[in-house]
Amino acid sequence: MTVGGNRNALNREVAADGTRDWSFGLCSCFDACGICCWSFWCPCVVYGKTKQRLHNLQAQGTPLPGGGDACNSDCFVYGCLAACGYGWILQIGNRGSIRGRYNIRGNGCTDCLVAWCCQWCSLTQDRREILAEENSF
């Protein structure tokens, strides 16, 4: 489904090929201290809610009422993998889906590096990108 809010809510510059940068820098995660803290202390919750919200935007074209469930199946799977040190692997696919929805520059390799090296900042950046569209309704 192609409906939804403004996919470039902060009016970032769009290149000739139709791509743009992320609305928020990777290291600007501290600008959203609440999300950053959740990403550090409960990354499974942030991952699960972000994935749920993205799915609703793609399927329904509207923000998810109530912001999603704190504990869902995506949260559980992420938590199990994170307990073994592999939660970041799920972030690669989610990040790719977000990049695709918003025509953000990058590729699977950069998604992998960011998710592996900057796990919490990546989760915060992903969540903020979704929130920017949801807030444009």
Coordinates of all heavy atoms in Angstrom, one line a residue, residues 55-112:
H55 N 5.2 -1.9 10.0 CA 4.3 -2.8 9.3 C 2.9 -2.1 9.1 O 2.3 -2.3 8.1 CB 4.2 -4.1 10.0 CG 3.1 -5.0 9.5 ND1 3.3 -5.7 8.3 CD2 1.9 -5.3 9.9 CE1 2.3 -6.4 8.0 NE2 1.4 -6.2 9.0
N56 N 2.4 -1.5 10.2 CA 1.1 -0.8 10.1 C 1.1 0.3 9.1 O 0.2 0.5 8.3 CB 0.7 -0.3 11.5 CG -0.8 0.0 11.5 OD1 -1.6 -1.0 11.6 ND2 -1.1 1.2 11.5
L57 N 2.2 1.1 9.0 CA 2.3 2.2 8.0 C 2.3 1.6 6.6 O 1.6 2.1 5.7 CB 3.6 3.0 8.2 CG 3.5 4.0 9.4 CD1 4.9 4.6 9.6 CD2 2.5 5.1 9.1
Q58 N 3.0 0.5 6.4 CA 3.0 -0.1 5.1 C 1.7 -0.8 4.7 O 1.2 -0.7 3.6 CB 4.1 -1.2 5.0 CG 5.5 -0.5 5.1 CD 6.6 -1.5 5.2 OE1 6.5 -2.6 5.8 NE2 7.8 -1.2 4.6
A59 N 1.0 -1.4 5.7 CA -0.2 -2.2 5.4 C -1.5 -1.3 5.4 O -2.3 -1.4 4.6 CB -0.4 -3.3 6.4
Q60 N -1.6 -0.4 6.4 CA -2.7 0.4 6.6 C -2.6 1.9 6.1 O -3.6 2.5 5.9 CB -3.2 0.4 8.0 CG -3.3 -0.9 8.7 CD -4.4 -1.7 8.0 OE1 -5.5 -1.2 7.6 NE2 -4.2 -3.0 7.8
G61 N -1.4 2.3 6.0 CA -1.1 3.7 5.6 C -1.4 4.7 6.7 O -1.5 5.9 6.4
T62 N -1.5 4.2 8.0 CA -1.8 5.1 9.1 C -0.9 4.7 10.3 O -0.5 3.6 10.4 CB -3.3 5.1 9.5 OG1 -3.6 3.7 9.9 CG2 -4.2 5.5 8.4
P63 N -0.7 5.7 11.2 CA 0.0 5.3 12.4 C -0.7 4.2 13.2 O -2.0 4.1 13.2 CB 0.0 6.6 13.2 CG -0.2 7.7 12.2 CD -1.1 7.1 11.2
L64 N 0.0 3.4 13.9 CA -0.6 2.3 14.7 C -1.2 2.9 16.0 O -0.5 3.6 16.7 CB 0.5 1.3 15.1 CG 0.1 0.1 15.9 CD1 -0.8 -0.8 15.0 CD2 1.3 -0.7 16.3
P65 N -2.5 2.7 16.2 CA -3.2 3.3 17.4 C -2.5 2.8 18.6 O -2.2 1.6 18.8 CB -4.6 2.7 17.3 CG -4.8 2.4 15.8 CD -3.4 2.0 15.3
G66 N -2.2 3.7 19.5 CA -1.5 3.3 20.8 C 0.0 3.1 20.7 O 0.6 2.8 21.7
G67 N 0.5 3.2 19.5 CA 2.0 3.0 19.3 C 2.5 1.6 19.3 O 3.7 1.4 19.2
G68 N 1.6 0.6 19.4 CA 2.1 -0.8 19.4 C 2.2 -1.4 20.7 O 2.3 -0.7 21.8
D69 N 2.4 -2.7 20.7 CA 2.6 -3.5 22.0 C 4.0 -3.5 22.4 O 4.9 -3.6 21.5 CB 2.1 -4.9 21.8 CG 0.6 -5.0 21.4 OD1 -0.1 -4.2 22.0 OD2 0.3 -5.9 20.6
A70 N 4.2 -3.3 23.7 CA 5.6 -3.3 24.2 C 6.3 -4.7 24.0 O 7.4 -4.8 23.7 CB 5.7 -2.9 25.6
C71 N 5.5 -5.7 24.3 CA 6.0 -7.1 24.2 C 5.2 -7.8 23.1 O 4.0 -8.1 23.3 CB 5.9 -7.8 25.5 SG 6.9 -7.1 26.8
N72 N 5.8 -8.0 22.0 CA 5.2 -8.8 20.9 C 6.1 -9.8 20.4 O 7.2 -10.0 20.9 CB 4.8 -7.8 19.8 CG 5.9 -7.0 19.2 OD1 7.0 -7.4 19.1 ND2 5.7 -5.7 19.0
S73 N 5.8 -10.6 19.4 CA 6.6 -11.7 18.9 C 8.0 -11.2 18.4 O 9.0 -11.8 18.6 CB 5.9 -12.5 17.8 OG 5.6 -11.7 16.7
D74 N 8.0 -10.0 17.7 CA 9.3 -9.5 17.3 C 10.2 -9.1 18.4 O 11.4 -9.3 18.4 CB 9.1 -8.2 16.4 CG 8.4 -8.6 15.1 OD1 8.8 -9.5 14.4 OD2 7.4 -7.9 14.7
C75 N 9.6 -8.6 19.5 CA 10.3 -8.3 20.7 C 10.9 -9.5 21.3 O 12.1 -9.6 21.7 CB 9.4 -7.6 21.7 SG 10.1 -7.3 23.3
F76 N 10.1 -10.6 21.4 CA 10.6 -11.9 21.9 C 11.7 -12.5 21.2 O 12.7 -12.9 21.7 CB 9.4 -12.9 22.0 CG 9.8 -14.2 22.5 CD1 10.0 -14.4 23.9 CD2 9.9 -15.3 21.6 CE1 10.4 -15.6 24.4 CE2 10.3 -16.5 22.1 CZ 10.5 -16.7 23.5
V77 N 11.6 -12.5 19.8 CA 12.7 -13.1 19.0 C 13.9 -12.2 19.1 O 15.0 -12.8 19.3 CB 12.2 -13.2 17.5 CG1 13.4 -13.5 16.6 CG2 11.1 -14.2 17.4
Y78 N 13.8 -10.9 19.1 CA 15.0 -10.0 19.3 C 15.6 -10.3 20.6 O 16.8 -10.4 20.7 CB 14.5 -8.6 19.1 CG 15.7 -7.6 19.2 CD1 16.3 -7.2 18.0 CD2 16.3 -7.2 20.4 CE1 17.3 -6.3 18.0 CE2 17.3 -6.3 20.4 CZ 17.9 -5.9 19.2 OH 18.9 -5.0 19.2
G79 N 14.8 -10.4 21.7 CA 15.3 -10.6 23.0 C 16.1 -11.9 23.1 O 17.2 -12.0 23.7
C80 N 15.6 -13.0 22.5 CA 16.3 -14.3 22.5 C 17.6 -14.2 21.8 O 18.7 -14.6 22.2 CB 15.4 -15.3 21.9 SG 14.0 -15.8 22.8
L81 N 17.6 -13.5 20.6 CA 18.9 -13.3 19.9 C 19.9 -12.4 20.6 O 21.1 -12.6 20.6 CB 18.6 -12.8 18.4 CG 18.0 -13.9 17.5 CD1 17.6 -13.2 16.2 CD2 19.0 -15.0 17.2
A82 N 19.3 -11.4 21.2 CA 20.2 -10.4 21.9 C 20.8 -11.0 23.1 O 22.0 -10.7 23.4 CB 19.4 -9.2 22.3
A83 N 20.2 -12.0 23.7 CA 20.8 -12.7 24.9 C 22.0 -13.5 24.4 O 22.9 -13.7 25.3 CB 19.7 -13.6 25.5
C84 N 22.1 -13.8 23.2 CA 23.3 -14.5 22.6 C 24.2 -13.6 21.9 O 25.2 -14.0 21.3 CB 22.8 -15.6 21.7 SG 21.7 -16.8 22.4
G85 N 23.9 -12.3 21.9 CA 24.7 -11.3 21.3 C 24.4 -11.1 19.8 O 25.2 -10.4 19.1
Y86 N 23.2 -11.6 19.3 CA 22.9 -11.5 17.9 C 21.7 -10.7 17.5 O 21.2 -10.8 16.4 CB 22.8 -12.9 17.3 CG 24.1 -13.7 17.4 CD1 24.2 -14.7 18.2 CD2 25.2 -13.3 16.6 CE1 25.4 -15.4 18.3 CE2 26.4 -14.0 16.6 CZ 26.5 -15.1 17.5 OH 27.6 -15.8 17.6
G87 N 21.2 -9.9 18.4 CA 20.0 -9.1 18.2 C 20.2 -8.1 17.0 O 19.2 -7.9 16.2
W88 N 21.4 -7.7 16.8 CA 21.7 -6.7 15.7 C 21.3 -7.3 14.3 O 21.0 -6.5 13.4 CB 23.1 -6.2 15.8 CG 24.1 -7.3 15.6 CD1 24.6 -8.1 16.7 CD2 24.7 -7.8 14.5 NE1 25.5 -9.0 16.1 CE2 25.6 -8.9 14.8 CE3 24.6 -7.5 13.1 CZ2 26.3 -9.6 13.9 CZ3 25.3 -8.2 12.2 CH2 26.2 -9.2 12.5
I89 N 21.3 -8.6 14.2 CA 21.1 -9.2 12.9 C 19.7 -8.9 12.4 O 19.5 -8.6 11.2 CB 21.3 -10.8 13.0 CG1 22.8 -11.1 13.2 CG2 20.8 -11.4 11.7 CD1 23.1 -12.5 13.5
L90 N 18.7 -8.9 13.3 CA 17.3 -8.5 12.9 C 17.2 -7.1 12.5 O 16.4 -6.7 11.7 CB 16.4 -8.8 14.1 CG 16.2 -10.3 14.4 CD1 15.2 -10.4 15.6 CD2 15.6 -11.1 13.3
Q91 N 18.1 -6.2 13.1 CA 18.0 -4.8 12.8 C 18.4 -4.6 11.3 O 17.9 -3.6 10.7 CB 19.0 -4.0 13.7 CG 18.5 -3.9 15.1 CD 19.5 -3.2 15.9 OE1 19.9 -3.7 16.9 NE2 19.9 -2.0 15.6
I92 N 19.2 -5.4 10.7 CA 19.6 -5.2 9.3 C 18.4 -5.2 8.4 O 18.3 -4.3 7.6 CB 20.6 -6.3 8.9 CG1 21.9 -6.2 9.8 CG2 21.0 -6.2 7.4 CD1 22.8 -7.4 9.6
G93 N 17.6 -6.2 8.5 CA 16.4 -6.3 7.7 C 15.4 -5.1 7.9 O 14.8 -4.6 7.0
N94 N 15.2 -4.8 9.2 CA 14.3 -3.7 9.5 C 14.8 -2.4 9.0 O 14.0 -1.6 8.5 CB 14.1 -3.7 11.0 CG 12.8 -3.0 11.5 OD1 11.8 -3.2 10.8 ND2 12.8 -2.2 12.5
R95 N 16.1 -2.2 9.1 CA 16.7 -0.9 8.6 C 16.6 -0.8 7.1 O 16.3 0.2 6.6 CB 18.2 -0.9 9.1 CG 18.8 0.4 9.1 CD 20.1 0.4 9.9 NE 20.8 1.6 9.7 CZ 20.6 2.7 10.3 NH1 19.6 2.8 11.2 NH2 21.3 3.8 10.0
G96 N 16.7 -2.0 6.5 CA 16.6 -2.0 5.0 C 15.1 -1.6 4.6 O 14.9 -0.9 3.6
S97 N 14.2 -2.1 5.3 CA 12.8 -1.8 5.0 C 12.5 -0.4 5.3 O 11.7 0.3 4.5 CB 11.9 -2.7 6.0 OG 12.0 -4.0 5.7
I98 N 13.0 0.2 6.3 CA 12.9 1.6 6.6 C 13.5 2.5 5.5 O 12.9 3.4 4.9 CB 13.4 2.0 7.9 CG1 12.5 1.4 9.0 CG2 13.5 3.5 8.1 CD1 13.1 1.5 10.4
R99 N 14.7 2.1 5.1 CA 15.4 2.8 4.0 C 14.6 2.8 2.7 O 14.4 3.7 2.0 CB 16.8 2.3 3.7 CG 17.9 2.8 4.6 CD 19.3 2.4 4.1 NE 19.4 1.0 3.8 CZ 19.3 0.5 2.6 NH1 19.1 1.3 1.6 NH2 19.5 -0.8 2.4
G100 N 14.0 1.6 2.4 CA 13.2 1.4 1.2 C 12.0 2.3 1.2 O 11.6 2.9 0.2
R101 N 11.3 2.3 2.4 CA 10.1 3.1 2.5 C 10.3 4.6 2.3 O 9.5 5.3 1.7 CB 9.4 2.9 3.9 CG 8.1 3.7 4.0 CD 7.3 3.3 5.3 NE 6.1 4.1 5.4 CZ 5.0 3.9 4.7 NH1 4.9 2.9 3.9 NH2 4.0 4.7 4.9
Y102 N 11.4 5.1 2.8 CA 11.7 6.5 2.8 C 12.8 6.9 1.7 O 13.2 8.1 1.7 CB 12.2 7.0 4.2 CG 11.1 6.7 5.2 CD1 11.3 5.8 6.2 CD2 9.9 7.4 5.2 CE1 10.3 5.5 7.1 CE2 8.9 7.2 6.1 CZ 9.1 6.2 7.1 OH 8.1 6.0 8.0
N103 N 13.2 6.0 0.9 CA 14.2 6.3 -0.2 C 15.4 6.9 0.4 O 16.0 7.9 -0.1 CB 13.6 7.2 -1.3 CG 12.6 6.5 -2.1 OD1 12.6 5.3 -2.3 ND2 11.5 7.3 -2.5
I104 N 15.9 6.2 1.5 CA 17.1 6.7 2.1 C 18.3 6.0 1.5 O 18.3 4.8 1.3 CB 17.0 6.4 3.7 CG1 15.9 7.3 4.2 CG2 18.3 6.8 4.4 CD1 15.6 6.9 5.7
R105 N 19.4 6.8 1.3 CA 20.6 6.3 0.8 C 21.2 5.2 1.7 O 21.1 5.3 2.9 CB 21.7 7.4 0.6 CG 21.4 8.3 -0.5 CD 22.6 9.3 -0.6 NE 22.1 10.5 -1.3 CZ 21.7 11.6 -0.8 NH1 21.6 11.7 0.5 NH2 21.2 12.6 -1.5
G106 N 21.9 4.2 1.1 CA 22.5 3.2 1.8 C 22.3 1.8 1.2 O 21.8 1.7 0.1
N107 N 22.9 0.8 1.8 CA 22.7 -0.6 1.3 C 22.8 -1.6 2.4 O 23.0 -1.2 3.6 CB 23.8 -0.8 0.2 CG 25.2 -0.6 0.7 OD1 25.6 -1.1 1.8 ND2 26.0 0.2 0.0
G108 N 22.7 -2.8 2.1 CA 22.7 -3.9 3.1 C 24.0 -3.9 3.9 O 24.0 -4.2 5.1
C109 N 25.1 -3.6 3.3 CA 26.4 -3.5 3.9 C 26.5 -2.4 5.0 O 26.9 -2.7 6.1 CB 27.6 -3.4 2.9 SG 29.2 -3.5 3.6
T110 N 26.0 -1.2 4.7 CA 26.0 -0.2 5.7 C 25.0 -0.5 6.8 O 25.3 -0.2 7.9 CB 25.7 1.2 5.0 OG1 24.4 1.1 4.4 CG2 26.8 1.6 4.0
D111 N 23.9 -1.1 6.4 CA 22.9 -1.5 7.4 C 23.6 -2.4 8.4 O 23.4 -2.3 9.6 CB 21.7 -2.1 6.8 CG 20.9 -1.2 6.0 OD1 21.0 0.1 6.2 OD2 20.1 -1.6 5.1
C112 N 24.3 -3.4 7.9 CA 25.0 -4.4 8.7 C 26.0 -3.7 9.7 O 26.0 -4.0 10.9 CB 25.6 -5.5 7.9 SG 26.5 -6.8 8.8

